[in-house]
Amino acid sequence: MRTAFTVTEARRRVAAADWKAVATELDAQGCALTPPLLTPDECRALAGLYDDADRFRSTVDMARHRFGSGQYRYFTHELPEPVRQLRRALYPRLLTVARDWAQRLGRPAPWPDGLEEWIEMCHEAGQDRSAQILLRYGPDDWNALHRDVFGDMLFPLQVVVGLDTHGTDYTGGEFLLVEQRPRAQSRGSVTVLPQGHGLIFTTRDRPIRTMRGWSAGGMRHGVSTVRSGRRHALGLVFHDAA
């Protein structure tokens, strides 16, 4: 029997993660994998929405904008239920890390306890467009290193969910994360996204301990070249766009 994607179901799946271990991994690497957040059927259903233009407010051709190669689409505010409920379930878990990082870096922590209140704050500041993304890559497509910063209202963590199976549906297309360490060489990491799992990663930077205390290590993310097949991913962003 297919399980309805309620907020209760979303919270159950999110709660299955070892959040202490996730926080430790985020501190060490700037990213961390979750257990499955979506079933294979749910992944296929979401990937299948890509061709339904009415679901989206805009489409971006990456080559045209020199972002890489491939396409992505921004959902309207009428989000599919799995997208809506996963954001609601993930936000309070990520909020704990966000506030801890802000304290270490001596930054403001403007995020309220509830996602809806935070998004309303974004809208009042002029960031009122949905930033939830469905991405599609084919052979030879890739995504340049970048940050998903759309204005001053910024949540420091986001999540990407793999919707296809690496090695079966596509090859290549690994998730890339590059960190500029304070007064040091950049460090890169590569992650294969298992279908249905989420990868939590930093939107802009993360705290790094140095001899002088805590410093912000800038980070950018991207996708390596897809060698064969088709790769879809869901991007969950916890602030809206201007």
Side-chain angles (χ1 to χ4, degrees), residues 188-204:
S189 66
V190 175
T191 304
V192 172
L193 287 181
Q195 186 184 44
H197 292 245
L199 181 70
I200 305 165
F201 62 99
T202 179
T203 302
R204 180 180 60 189

Side-chain angles (χ1 to χ4, degrees), residues 11-80:
R11 287 172 178 163
R12 184 190 67 80
R13 298 184 193 184
V14 168
D18 181 342
W19 284 97
K20 183 177 180 179
V22 166
T24 299
E25 188 73 4
L26 285 169
D27 279 346
Q29 304 296 335
C31 64
L33 278 169
T34 74
L37 300 176
L38 297 170
T39 67
D41 284 347
E42 290 163 349
C43 289
R44 286 188 286 269
L46 279 172
L49 295 179
Y50 196 89
D51 294 316
D52 185 356
D54 291 340
R55 293 273 189 172
F56 305 95
R57 67 170 177 84
S58 66
T59 301
V60 176
D61 184 296
M62 286 189 271
R64 178 183 175 187
H65 297 279
R66 302 185 71 180
F67 295 163
S69 178
Q71 273 191 353
Y72 58 87
R73 287 183 149 179
Y74 288 104
F75 282 103
T76 69
H77 284 300
E78 297 299 318
L79 297 172

Side-chain angles (χ1 to χ4, degrees), residues 13-235:
R13 298 184 193 184
V14 168
D18 181 342
W19 284 97
K20 183 177 180 179
V22 166
T24 299
E25 188 73 4
L26 285 169
D27 279 346
Q29 304 296 335
C31 64
L33 278 169
T34 74
L37 300 176
L38 297 170
T39 67
D41 284 347
E42 290 163 349
C43 289
R44 286 188 286 269
L46 279 172
L49 295 179
Y50 196 89
D51 294 316
D52 185 356
D54 291 340
R55 293 273 189 172
F56 305 95
R57 67 170 177 84
S58 66
T59 301
V60 176
D61 184 296
M62 286 189 271
R64 178 183 175 187
H65 297 279
R66 302 185 71 180
F67 295 163
S69 178
Q71 273 191 353
Y72 58 87
R73 287 183 149 179
Y74 288 104
F75 282 103
T76 69
H77 284 300
E78 297 299 318
L79 297 172
E81 207 61 17
V83 179
R84 182 186 307 278
Q85 302 300 3
L86 281 178
R87 286 180 80 222
R88 291 177 64 187
L90 284 162
Y91 177 80
R93 303 284 185 168
L94 302 181
L95 182 60
T96 301
V97 178
R99 287 172 171 169
D100 177 56
W101 282 9
Q103 182 179 28
R104 282 189 253 172
L105 291 172
R107 293 175 174 173
W111 316 288
D113 291 342
L115 176 61
E116 289 78 8
E117 184 181 352
W118 167 240
I119 295 301
E120 183 60 31
M121 291 169 62
C122 291
H123 291 186
E124 290 172 355
Q127 292 179 214
D128 59 1
R129 296 192 297 169
S130 171
Q132 312 317 305
I133 309 171
L134 191 59
L135 304 105
R136 172 184 281 179
Y137 303 85
D140 297 324
D141 287 343
W142 55 284
N143 198 342
L145 294 172
H146 65 284
R147 298 180 176 118
D148 295 317
V149 177
F150 305 118
D152 292 335
M153 306 298 281
L154 172 72
F155 193 77
L157 294 158
Q158 61 194 88
V159 181
V160 60
V161 183
L163 301 180
D164 299 302
T165 302
H166 186 269
T168 301
D169 297 317
Y170 69 97
T171 60
E174 297 86 0
F175 183 88
L176 306 175
L177 194 63
V178 174
E179 172 187 87
Q180 178 58 59
R181 301 175 68 82
R183 295 173 293 280
Q185 297 295 322
S186 298
R187 180 178 73 167
S189 66
V190 175
T191 304
V192 172
L193 287 181
Q195 186 184 44
H197 292 245
L199 181 70
I200 305 165
F201 62 99
T202 179
T203 302
R204 180 180 60 189
D205 53 27
R206 69 179 185 89
I208 297 175
R209 187 182 290 279
T210 69
M211 294 180 64
R212 300 180 182 180
W214 293 102
S215 296
M219 304 191 78
R220 295 181 296 162
H221 64 278
V223 174
S224 71
T225 302
V226 173
R227 299 188 179 279
S228 65
R230 180 174 280 180
R231 177 193 189 273
H232 295 87
L234 170 68

